[in-house]
Amino acid sequence: RPLCGPVRGGGDPPDAMALSPAGRAPPVAPQAWRAAAATELPVIALLDYDENGRAAVEKLKSFNWEPSKRVLSLREWPETCLRNHDVEIEDLLPGSVVAALVAELGEDESVDGKVKCGSAWHLQLSQSWKSFAIEALDSRLGADPGGMVWLAEELRARASKIVAGKIAAAKAAARA
């Protein structure tokens, strides 16, 4: 069940996007393979940069999924801390929104841990916070997109690479 439908009314694959959540990293690889087999549209596996996400990236790479096209690890987010700690999708949310939701739910229930990140702290957010955020985010997101613009641009660039590769392969097959 996709989370969102076509962007800007659909059109060519790079202009259309549907997200199908796996919920956690282990099912991402088989879900991605099934999706790729079922459609001509570009399929990109988006994974947190944590233990499970890294394992899923390796599994996808073992089946020749190109990390520069079809696998997007959040390790690639340009605002990732140089200390190489885990990066989850919620880290791309605006810091002010995350802080407001932590304050509303309470730090004890919201935060599983903290990692020193330069002069600031990287929060390891709890499952309670994540569940709360899913329900509460819509009304709190404003002008600051956080890392979501980077994510959308990265997905679009990768989709364009996949489409270009399919077009080139089709042209080569037609010439053969």
Side-chain angles (χ1 to χ4, degrees), residues 17 22 34 36 62 72 79 81-82 94 97 102-103 114 134-135 138 141 152 158 165 167:
M17 186 181 309
R34 284 191 305 273
S62 75
L72 176 53
E79 293 182 37
C81 176
L82 297 177
V97 173
V102 166
K114 294 180 181 181
I134 288 170
E135 300 301 321
D138 231 5
L141 293 175
R158 287 165 186 263
I167 291 170

Side-chain angles (χ1 to χ4, degrees), residues 5 8-9 32 34 37 41 44 51 55 59 64 68 71 100 120 126 128-129 141-142 147 152-153 157 166 170 176:
R8 287 184 296 185
R34 284 191 305 273
L41 295 173
I44 301 163
E51 184 178 337
K59 180 168 237 149
N64 296 319
S68 65
V71 180
S126 69
S128 294
W129 184 92
L141 293 175
E153 289 172 348
K166 287 182 178 192

Side-chain angles (χ1 to χ4, degrees), residues 57-153:
V57 167
E58 291 307 311
K59 180 168 237 149
L60 286 160
K61 285 170 42 179
S62 75
F63 283 88
N64 296 319
W65 275 53
E66 311 93 327
S68 65
K69 290 183 188 174
R70 299 176 70 189
V71 180
L72 176 53
S73 168
L74 291 181
R75 174 69 182 111
E76 297 180 44
W77 181 39
E79 293 182 37
T80 299
C81 176
L82 297 177
R83 290 177 177 35
N84 207 31
H85 56 71
D86 292 353
V87 180
E88 297 180 306
I89 192 73
E90 54 271 17
D91 293 325
L92 276 64
L93 295 171
S96 60
V97 173
V98 171
L101 292 173
V102 166
E104 190 172 329
L105 189 60
E107 188 168 335
D108 289 345
E109 191 172 345
S110 297
V111 180
D112 284 341
K114 294 180 181 181
V115 177
K116 189 72 169 162
C117 191
S119 60
W121 289 95
H122 174 82
L123 301 180
Q124 296 168 329
L125 297 164
S126 69
Q127 191 58 49
S128 294
W129 184 92
K130 293 172 187 182
S131 297
F132 177 65
I134 288 170
E135 300 301 321
L137 270 177
D138 231 5
S139 64
R140 294 195 173 68
L141 293 175
D144 178 5
M148 294 301 163
V149 170
W150 168 82
L151 180 60
E153 289 172 348

